[in-house]
Amino acid sequence: MPSAEKSGFRFPSAFTILFGLIVLVAALTWIIPAGQYERVPSEALGRDVPVAGSFAPTDPNPQGIFDVILAPIAGFYDPLRYTANAIDVSLFVLIIGGFIGVVTATGAIDAGIARAMLRLKGRETWMIPILMALFALGGSTYGMAEETLAFYVLLIPVMIAAKYDALTAVAVILLGAGVGVLGSTVNAFSTVIASDAAGVSLADGLLLRLAILAVCWVVTVAFVMRYAARVRADPTRSLVHDRKAANEAHFLAPGADREQPGGAPFTGLHKIVLILFGLTFGVMIWGVAIGGWWMAEMSGLFLAAAIVIGIIARLGEGRLVDSFVGGARDLLGVALIIGLARGIVVVMDAGLITDTILHAAETSVAGLSQTAFILVVYWIEVGLSFFVPSTSGLAVLSMPILAPMADFAGVQRELVVTAFATASGMVNLVTPTSAVVMGGLAIGRVPYERWLRFVWPLLLVLTLIVMAALALAVNFAGAP
């Protein structure tokens, strides 16, 4: 403790970072001129979309101290219209916490981890590519993002018991699903909406996106496996080594024999609980990918599953309720972070500077060569993604403006869609405005600045891969 106090600067928590960004964006509403595009309703997208060339200045609406204070509240719900913002995601996280709390109370997770480590002894490293392939599949096909928050509490104890660290588990989930979103193939919340808004078929550009997904996935898996092997060989090389004991105490069962996994009894009841546990996640994936489910239905699923598991395990009414509430309490900080992150976008929209930033992007690409155009569009989408972490929201906002400009530059519109998808996926691996990033790091107890230190070399390599793919594609593709 004395050495820590003498070290001076301490990186602020996620709460401080996000609130500071709210203040910064509010200050920008006093500096950046207000403006808006005309919008027309789109039946296909179910919302209004901006009209290219229609931007016009409007009366400013600078955000003051009161707006800054209300922003975290407005991040959960619109206090004027009483419509939801991030409250559904936050509630989902709390119910997931309750569900995990009930399953943990049965002892099935701890016993299952011990048995899994015994069976995988000497082959634990294969968990990384297998799991990252599954998460990437979800990210590429249906934009698996918020749903991944449910897997952290399950996977982190497994990785720690396998002599890795919490950061390895976070990387497997966050980078696995994230690289899938980066290489979105048929992602309904990214390429489907963007392709429709750009006026092209989803099949257009699919082969390029598949190639980007494959190459980026291989590079990302190799990056994570290299770090994991280094940590396992020398735990002091872990970026969260100073939290090793605390994380083991938090994520592993007290008194568990970590040197000889398999010592805990694994009963028939544990098997039933774990089957129901896995079945719940399977139903969730089916519901999102095929059944048209979203946060309300997923929350109801985990609530019902918690009750069923509690009854089958004979926890009793009191212990069932206490376990559920205790599990939800463990993820309360995560739920608050999610609302705080959404508050940044609320302030920017209310200050009427979102369209102004988009208009600046529109004017910056005029008169560029084909290669320069597609690379500038990519970096424009990167910048916009920091302010609009929602892939569907960014698609609706930017595609109606940037896609028609591709016609004048002699670039196929599907390349603009691919530039959007890769840029949005790249930024959503690190942006502090993303509930998925900040929520996952909070669950894994990984400080944000250490995540940045870990992931920046990978981001550099992935960026070069994407830019090279876009430059090659625009030169080999025919004119639109």
Side-chain angles (χ1 to χ4, degrees):
M1 289 299 295
S3 60
E5 290 174 0
K6 292 178 181 178
S7 64
F9 176 76
R10 177 182 178 272
F11 200 87
S13 68
F15 290 96
T16 304
I17 293 171
L18 293 175
F19 194 79
L21 287 174
I22 289 176
V23 174
L24 174 61
V25 171
L28 291 177
T29 64
W30 292 82
I31 302 171
I32 298 176
Q36 286 185 304
Y37 283 98
E38 293 180 9
R39 281 173 164 76
V40 295
S42 170
E43 293 184 5
L45 300 179
R47 66 188 78 182
D48 293 342
V49 298
V51 179
S54 65
F55 178 83
T58 188
D59 293 335
N61 185 35
Q63 303 293 284
I65 296 177
F66 186 69
D67 300 299
V68 169
I69 294 173
L70 278 185
I73 310 301
F76 288 105
Y77 75 99
D78 188 327
L80 298 178
R81 300 179 182 87
Y82 283 89
T83 55
N85 281 329
I87 195 169
D88 54 347
V89 182
S90 297
L91 182 60
F92 171 68
V93 167
L94 293 176
I95 291 179
I96 279 288
F99 168 75
I100 297 296
V102 171
V103 175
T104 301
T106 68
I109 289 181
D110 297 326
I113 289 172
R115 177 61 61 91
M117 291 303 99
L118 180 63
R119 295 288 179 87
L120 287 171
K121 192 171 182 62
R123 303 188 304 275
E124 294 89 345
T125 186
W126 288 106
M127 289 190 296
I128 295 175
I130 292 172
L131 290 173
M132 291 186 73
L134 294 174
F135 285 122
L137 178 64
S140 182
T141 54
Y142 69 90
M144 190 177 194
E146 286 88 351
E147 304 92 321
T148 61
L149 295 174
F151 291 91
Y152 284 94
V153 181
L154 170 64
L155 185 58
I156 292 173
V158 174
M159 287 297 179
I160 291 179
K163 308 303 180 185
Y164 298 122
D165 61 0
L167 179 56
T168 302
V170 170
V172 167
I173 299 173
L174 187 53
L175 294 180
V179 79
V181 174
L182 184 153
S184 290
T185 52
V186 293
N187 181 354
F189 304 103
S190 178
T191 50
V192 171
I193 293 177
S195 296
D196 188 86
V200 297
S201 167
L202 178 63
D204 295 330
L206 180 60
L207 291 179
L208 175 61
R209 293 193 293 272
L210 279 171
I212 291 174
L213 172 62
V215 175
C216 290
W217 181 84
V218 170
V219 170
T220 303
V221 170
F223 179 81
V224 174
M225 291 184 72
R226 178 175 177 270
Y227 171 81
R230 195 166 64 229
V231 169
R232 198 174 191 198
D234 182 3
T236 61
R237 302 187 70 180
S238 166
L239 293 179
V240 290
H241 175 67
D242 59 316
R243 298 175 171 227
K244 184 176 185 295
N247 284 342
E248 288 180 350
H250 180 79
F251 290 110
L252 299 181
D257 186 354
R258 302 182 185 106
E259 294 299 325
Q260 297 180 351
F266 189 60
T267 67
L269 177 60
H270 289 153
K271 293 180 182 179
I272 294 174
V273 170
L274 290 180
I275 289 173
L276 291 174
F277 185 88
L279 183 62
T280 302
F281 284 91
V283 172
M284 178 193 74
I285 293 172
W286 171 88
V288 174
I290 300 175
W293 288 11
W294 198 228
M295 289 300 158
E297 292 83 0
M298 289 192 297
S299 298
L301 169 67
F302 282 101
L303 176 61
I307 295 173
V308 170
I309 289 175
I311 293 174
I312 291 177
R314 299 178 182 177
L315 294 181
E317 184 271 340
R319 192 177 174 200
L320 171 59
V321 172
D322 290 344
S323 300
F324 189 91
V325 173
R329 185 187 303 115
D330 289 340
L331 295 188
L332 178 60
V334 178
L336 294 175
I337 282 175
I338 290 171
L340 193 60
R342 186 68 63 89
I344 299 170
V345 179
V346 169
V347 169
M348 190 170 66
D349 288 343
L352 302 177
I353 63 173
T354 303
D355 284 6
T356 303
I357 295 172
L358 184 61
H359 176 64
E362 179 186 3
T363 58
S364 67
V365 296
L368 297 177
S369 67
Q370 291 180 330
T371 301
F373 173 85
I374 197 63
L375 294 181
V376 169
V377 165
Y378 171 78
W379 284 106
I380 287 173
E381 295 287 7
V382 167
L384 291 174
S385 294
F386 278 100
F387 296 98
V388 187
S390 166
T391 53
S392 58
L394 182 59
V396 171
L397 182 68
S398 63
M399 283 299 99
I401 304 297
L402 296 179
M405 297 179 62
D407 300 338
F408 297 100
V411 174
Q412 293 184 337
R413 290 190 178 194
E414 57 264 28
L415 291 180
V416 176
V417 173
T418 301
F420 146 77
T422 52
S424 177
M426 191 79 68
V427 172
N428 279 326
L429 295 177
V430 293
T431 176
T433 62
S434 169
V436 176
V437 173
M438 303 309 288
L441 295 179
I443 296 173
R445 297 158 65 95
V446 176
Y448 181 66
E449 83 279 4
R450 299 193 198 182
W451 174 252
L452 294 180
R453 194 192 319 169
F454 166 76
V455 83
W456 78 262
L458 176 65
L459 291 182
L460 178 60
V461 174
L462 294 181
T463 299
L464 294 176
I465 291 172
V466 168
M467 291 179 64
L470 291 173
L472 289 173
V474 79
N475 282 283
F476 282 100

